[in-house]
Amino acid sequence: SQQGFWYWHSDTNETFYSDEYYQILGYEPQEFTPSYEKWESLLHPEDAEKATYLQTRFIQGEIEGYDVEFRMCTKQGEYRWYLTKAGKTVKENGYSLMIGLVIDVTAHKST
């Protein structure tokens, strides 16, 4: 499938990417260490501000969901379109956990 699962603890920066997440970006599973900084480095420069701004608003509870399309750079150096969805931020013991899916929508965007 062309989708992967991820989570990110905004307070601790603990990050997880499923094997499928890596694969839709052209990487082998666990080929790089998942982190917020790595995700940010893969974003297309024209999309980074929007993606990170909305993510911050979502984590802070200012918006209900995180449903954003942006381009990310694959291992092959190609930018592809992805839709990232997160339904809610889980808060437990003072930590914010963002859980979601990333879906390759490149074929849809080119039609």
Side-chain angles (χ1 to χ4, degrees), residues 8-74:
W8 173 57
H9 280 273
S10 64
D11 301 304
T12 65
N13 204 29
E14 178 186 351
T15 308
F16 169 82
Y17 300 146
S18 69
D19 290 351
E20 294 82 9
Y21 188 105
Y22 286 95
Q23 291 166 344
I24 65 172
L25 288 168
Y27 291 91
E28 293 296 319
Q30 309 305 313
E31 188 170 335
F32 60 83
T33 301
S35 70
Y36 180 85
E37 293 78 16
K38 180 62 175 180
W39 170 76
E40 202 172 30
S41 77
L42 295 173
L43 291 172
H44 190 285
E46 293 176 6
D47 301 333
E49 184 177 343
K50 174 185 172 185
T52 57
Y53 171 74
L54 291 174
Q55 186 177 60
T56 299
R57 291 193 63 217
F58 178 71
I59 285 288
Q60 294 174 347
E62 297 172 9
I63 57 175
E64 291 287 316
Y66 185 74
D67 190 348
V68 182
E69 288 185 354
F70 49 75
R71 291 163 287 181
M72 286 197 297
C73 190
T74 66

Side-chain angles (χ1 to χ4, degrees), residues 77-96:
E78 167 191 27
Y79 281 100
R80 295 183 60 84
W81 282 97
Y82 298 92
L83 169 64
T84 294
K85 294 177 164 271
K88 67 178 183 173
T89 300
V90 178
K91 294 207 180 249
E92 185 175 288
N93 299 325
Y95 293 102
S96 298

